[in-house]
Amino acid sequence: MGEKLKNKVAIITGGAGGIGGAISALYAAEGAVVVANDINAEITEKFATDLSAKLNCTNIIPYAADVCNREQVNKMVQDVLDQFGHIDILVNCAGRSKDALLHKMSESDWDFVINLNLKGTFNCVQYVYPFMRQQNQGKIISLTSRARMGTIGQINYSSAKAGLVGLTCSLAKEAARFNINVNCISPGFVLTPRLSQMEEKHLEARVQLNPFERAVQPEDVANLALFLATEDSRNITGQVINIGAW
């Protein structure tokens, strides 16, 4: 167990998933109180129980809430503040894709992806940000994607992930005077449990996008998220940091 995030409180949306789960694990191992958020209560509870046993710690708090639901996000933020008194780190990792070529994409597929990936992040940031302003410090980290530059069959997902870059760059300018760092991580192909089920030929095509010709592991992303959550990155804001591809 380390102490890089000792006495810090972090909310991690999608915190029981592949990348989010790796970030939750590393933050908890470095001493943070980790509020691991996910929409599925059963999955979130099991994740927190298993990780707590693995790390032999009590600083992982499961919290089921839908980031697309503003009332639920508001309640989550208030509950965390009521219990711990501060929120130091927000990691926006909740997201999913629903792929289709434009002429086959339904309005519901567009709305789902934009709401979850972009509006969900907006909701979380908007409710956490006032308290970070009051305490005059904070770290906001959002997971964008290489898809932000355009991918066939992912117009909805690409639009959402590009929107996160705009949100990050704009908020970074607003938040700097309050000592709040706002940055994006942009992974290439990350070998999460879900993506590892792809056909071999599709896996190989994505691996080839990485100059190192290997898949990025969730722990690689977590290591970068840790750096951005510490004072080592105190002069870094408004940045989109690629990992695994560009």
Side-chain angles (χ1 to χ4, degrees), residues 211-246:
F212 295 111
E213 296 186 359
R214 60 177 178 246
V216 175
Q217 299 298 321
E219 291 74 19
D220 296 323
V221 182
N223 287 331
L224 178 54
L226 175 62
F227 169 70
L228 291 174
T230 68
E231 283 306 290
D232 291 339
S233 62
R234 64 193 180 95
N235 281 315
I236 299 174
T237 198
Q239 301 303 304
V240 181
I241 304 176
N242 298 305
I243 178 168
W246 59 80

Side-chain angles (χ1 to χ4, degrees), residues 18 49 64 66 69 73 75 79 82-83 100 103 106 109 128 130 132 142 151 183 188 195 197 203 206 210 226 234 237:
T49 299
D66 180 359
N69 186 309
V73 172
K75 185 176 186 305
D79 286 348
D82 288 345
Q83 185 171 356
H103 64 285
S106 67
D109 285 349
V128 167
M132 288 186 171
S142 297
T151 306
N183 290 291
L195 292 184
Q197 298 172 12
L203 283 172
R206 284 161 173 77
N210 186 338
L226 175 62
R234 64 193 180 95
T237 198

Side-chain angles (χ1 to χ4, degrees), residues 6-133:
K6 186 179 180 180
N7 299 323
K8 301 295 185 182
V9 175
I11 295 177
I12 303 174
T13 73
I19 295 174
I23 297 172
S24 293
L26 185 56
Y27 278 20
E30 288 293 343
V33 171
V34 171
V35 180
N37 157 258
D38 216 290
I39 193 170
N40 186 302
E42 183 178 350
I43 290 174
T44 308
E45 290 281 353
K46 184 178 188 307
F47 169 81
T49 299
D50 292 348
L51 184 57
S52 296
K54 180 181 178 180
L55 296 178
N56 190 27
C57 69
T58 59
N59 54 322
I60 303 163
I61 314 298
Y63 200 106
D66 180 359
V67 297
C68 298
N69 186 309
R70 289 177 63 80
E71 291 182 2
Q72 291 183 25
V73 172
N74 185 28
K75 185 176 186 305
M76 175 173 66
V77 171
Q78 292 295 336
D79 286 348
V80 173
L81 289 168
D82 288 345
Q83 185 171 356
F84 301 107
H86 55 105
I87 298 170
D88 305 288
I89 306 159
L90 170 65
V91 182
N92 298 296
C93 201
R96 265 187 62 192
S97 61
K98 280 196 173 185
D99 299 349
L101 296 173
L102 178 60
H103 64 285
K104 295 182 179 180
M105 184 174 292
S106 67
E107 183 180 4
S108 62
D109 285 349
W110 170 270
D111 289 344
F112 173 84
V113 171
I114 295 295
N115 284 337
L116 176 56
N117 292 274
L118 184 55
K119 187 178 179 182
T121 296
F122 166 76
N123 290 340
C124 294
V125 169
Q126 192 173 47
Y127 280 113
V128 167
Y129 180 64
F131 300 98
M132 288 186 171
R133 279 181 43 153

